């Protein structure tokens, strides 16, 4: 019998849990068909490798010892979906090249590990006739149709530790600390780490804030004898004035003012309005670094095993998901062009409000 030949790639921003998921897919596929009946091709740097034929045949030993390691053994790149169908100066027809690589390799299936952009291209390739199975990765937790993505909870743990550590120095110096957490479109990571770390104010893109109310919340705490305040702000958060502008206009206005980061804008205004000393902290890519948490190792393994199950059932054009706590799958076409945002009545937002956390609105 011919071998089952599968390709696997990781695309978009990296996160803890990618290697654990690669391992889960590989081990479960070997188990399902027998190690000698499977050939796994590791595609380098995401779709870039698929376009340019950059890959290597993997051995079972390549998947050992990677459960705990951060990053991705396959490498990753951002290859924006909106550029996929555009032939640029390099004259490369990316869609054709990806299909050619898949066909030349005689793949039976391609596993794509990635976030929203990755899922859009995965769906496009599936519609082009390739056998594709997606796996939902991102610290942003914003993939539609799944309760959770792998990488998210590790980033929440890191964000929480950042906020914990800031508490002690904020307290010692009686300062307002503005901490910027990754998340350009969705505020899940800021919301969860803000709640777990005990932030006093949480600002997310889904809930435009009024800077006067943010300053007032800090002042109220100071008046009550609480010398410091912690503001957790998502990198993509904006105020009610900026909410009236289009994304590009917002970026232009910020660049003109020399206030590109959310922390810079908020810290300056809060200090000016309250007279309280203010500092900013941006953990940035630290949130995506290092070993996955136990939760993410388990989730990655569950997701990987389910992806292998889908392969066995020849169920292509799907992406793995967790729905109401169960590991299942969604059709790529149903989730690929959507984003999961925080709703104003999300349970976590309501819980935060119940204990007096301000969203500045
Ligand atoms: O999508 C994950 C993410 O970390 C976002 O939260 C962040 O806005 C973006 O990636 C940063 O991208 P890059 O690593 O390309 O700077």
């Amino acid at each position: 019998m011919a071998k089952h030949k599968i390709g696997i790639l990781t695309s978009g921003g990296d996160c803890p849990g990618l290697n654990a998921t690669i391992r889960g897919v590989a081990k479960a596929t070997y188990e399902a068909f027998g190690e000698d009946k499977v050939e796994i091709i590791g595609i380098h740097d995401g779709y870039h490798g698929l376009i340019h034929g950059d890959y290597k045949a993997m051995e079972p030993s390549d998947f050992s010892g990677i459960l705990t390691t951060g990053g991705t053994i396959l490498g990753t790149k951002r290859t924006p979906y909106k550029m996929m169908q555009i032939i640029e100066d390099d004259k490369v027809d990316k869609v054709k090249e990806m299909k050619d690589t898949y066909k030349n390799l005689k793949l039976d299936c391609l596993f794509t590990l990635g976030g929203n952009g990755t899922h859009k291209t995965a769906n496009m390739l599936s519609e082009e006739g390739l056998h594709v199975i997606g796996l939902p990765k991102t610290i942003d937790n914003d993939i539609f149709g799944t309760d959770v993505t792998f990488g998210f909870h590790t980033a929440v743990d890191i964000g929480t530790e950042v906020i914990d550590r800031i508490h002690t120095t904020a307290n010692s110096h009686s300062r307002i600390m503005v901490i910027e957490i990754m998340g350009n479109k969705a505020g899940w990571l800021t919301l969860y780490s803000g709640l777990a770390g005990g932030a006093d104010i949480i600002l997310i893109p889904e809930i435009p804030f009024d800077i006067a109310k943010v300053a007032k919340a800090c002042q109220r705490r100071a008046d009550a004898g609480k010398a410091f305040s912690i503001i957790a702000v998502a990198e993509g958060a904006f105020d009610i004035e900026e909410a009236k502008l289009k994304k590009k206009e917002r970026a232009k206005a910020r660049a003109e003012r020399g206030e590109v980061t959310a922390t810079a804008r908020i810290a300056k205004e809060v200090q000016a309005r309250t007279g309280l000393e203010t500092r900013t902290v941006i953990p940035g890519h630290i949130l995506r670094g290092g070993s996955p948490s136990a939760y993410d190792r388990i989730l990655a393994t569950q997701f990987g095993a389910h992806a292998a199950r889908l392969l066995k059932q020849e169920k292509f054009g799907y992406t793995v998901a967790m729905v109401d706590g169960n590991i299942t799958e969604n059709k790529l076409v149903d989730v690929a062009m959507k984003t999961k945002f925080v709703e104003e009545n999300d349970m976590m937002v309501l819980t935060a409000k119940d204990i007096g956390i301000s969203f500045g609105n």
Side-chain angles (χ1 to χ4, degrees):
M1 202 184 101
K3 281 193 176 189
H4 294 272
K5 202 167 179 195
I6 63 165
I8 183 161
L9 62 80
T10 56
S11 177
D14 74 338
C15 76
L18 276 166
N19 288 333
T21 308
I22 293 169
R23 170 184 176 271
V25 171
K27 285 191 180 268
T29 304
Y30 288 137
E31 276 299 310
F33 299 106
E35 229 175 73
D36 54 336
K37 301 274 185 318
V38 175
E39 190 176 348
I40 300 182
I41 305 295
I43 295 161
H44 296 147
D45 297 337
Y47 294 118
H48 186 268
L50 196 61
I51 295 166
H52 298 283
D54 182 10
Y55 51 79
K56 91 164 200 196
M58 312 282 286
E59 297 299 327
S61 59
D62 290 326
F63 304 103
S64 288
I66 62 169
L67 174 65
T68 58
T69 58
T72 160
I73 57 166
L74 298 174
T76 187
K77 255 195 172 56
R78 290 193 186 279
T79 319
Y81 169 72
K82 61 178 181 217
M83 300 307 289
M84 282 297 183
Q85 272 141 330
I86 294 172
I87 296 176
E88 293 160 282
D89 300 342
D90 56 11
K91 304 268 187 296
V92 176
D93 182 342
K94 298 184 235 6
V95 179
K96 180 178 176 302
E97 295 299 327
M98 286 194 282
K99 286 165 68 179
D100 284 353
T101 305
Y102 181 99
K103 279 185 196 141
N104 294 340
L105 279 168
K106 297 192 172 54
L107 294 181
D108 296 306
C109 174
L110 175 67
F111 291 103
T112 57
L113 283 61
N116 278 323
T118 305
H119 276 71
K120 287 177 191 167
T121 298
N123 180 50
M124 187 252 289
L125 291 176
S126 169
E127 288 181 337
E128 290 281 334
L130 308 194
H131 292 164
V132 182
I133 296 172
L135 291 111
K137 159 241 72 164
T138 167
I139 64 163
D140 296 339
N141 196 33
D142 60 351
I143 297 185
F144 193 83
T146 184
D147 299 350
V148 68
T149 54
F150 65 85
F152 173 63
H153 275 290
T154 306
V156 170
D157 291 347
I158 302 168
T160 302
E161 189 180 349
V162 169
I163 298 174
D164 285 351
R165 286 180 183 273
I166 292 300
H167 261 93
T168 58
T169 169
N171 195 7
S172 308
H173 287 269
S174 305
R175 283 173 173 157
I176 309 289
M177 300 298 280
V178 189
I179 307 167
E180 184 170 313
I181 306 286
M182 275 189 170
N184 241 321
K185 292 186 189 152
W188 294 107
L189 186 53
T190 309
L191 179 59
Y192 274 62
S193 10
L195 204 49
D200 305 297
I201 296 156
I202 295 176
L203 306 175
I204 57 175
E206 293 90 335
I207 307 178
F209 60 88
D210 178 345
I211 192 68
K213 290 188 177 160
V214 175
K216 210 178 263 172
C218 297
Q219 190 63 61
R220 224 179 359 243
R221 278 177 53 84
D223 293 346
K226 293 170 182 165
F228 73 93
S229 288
I230 306 281
I231 304 175
V233 55
E235 63 174 328
F238 46 85
D239 66 25
I240 45 178
E241 291 310 315
E242 286 190 308
K244 296 174 191 157
L245 303 175
K246 293 207 175 85
K247 201 174 155 203
K248 272 197 180 148
E249 296 169 342
R250 250 192 331 255
K252 189 165 168 261
R254 289 170 180 178
E256 279 167 7
R257 293 200 309 270
E259 293 168 1
V260 180
T261 61
T263 33
R265 293 189 296 280
I266 291 162
K268 191 175 135 205
E269 276 294 319
V270 168
Q271 182 156 321
R273 286 167 191 255
T274 61
L276 299 165
E277 196 179 13
T278 306
R279 291 284 189 275
T280 61
V281 179
I282 305 182
H285 291 80
I286 292 170
L287 294 160
R288 294 207 326 233
S291 186
S293 63
Y295 178 95
D296 270 330
R297 293 177 200 182
I298 293 167
L299 184 69
T301 307
Q302 287 181 295
F303 276 179
H306 193 68
R309 215 172 287 137
L310 293 178
L311 169 66
K312 186 131 203 225
Q313 293 164 4
E314 300 189 1
K315 215 166 164 185
F316 305 117
Y318 284 82
T319 186
V320 177
M322 182 194 275
V323 179
D324 297 333
N326 298 311
I327 305 296
T328 178
E329 67 281 344
N330 289 315
K331 278 191 178 154
L332 276 169
V333 69
D334 290 341
V335 302
M337 305 308 279
K338 299 177 187 164
T339 304
K340 185 182 75 177
F341 292 111
V342 177
E343 305 276 344
E344 279 215 40
N345 61 355
D346 184 272
M347 205 178 62
M348 289 298 171
V349 174
L350 299 181
T351 302
K353 285 187 173 171
D354 282 342
I355 62 157
I357 294 175
S358 166
F359 285 81
N361 66 338

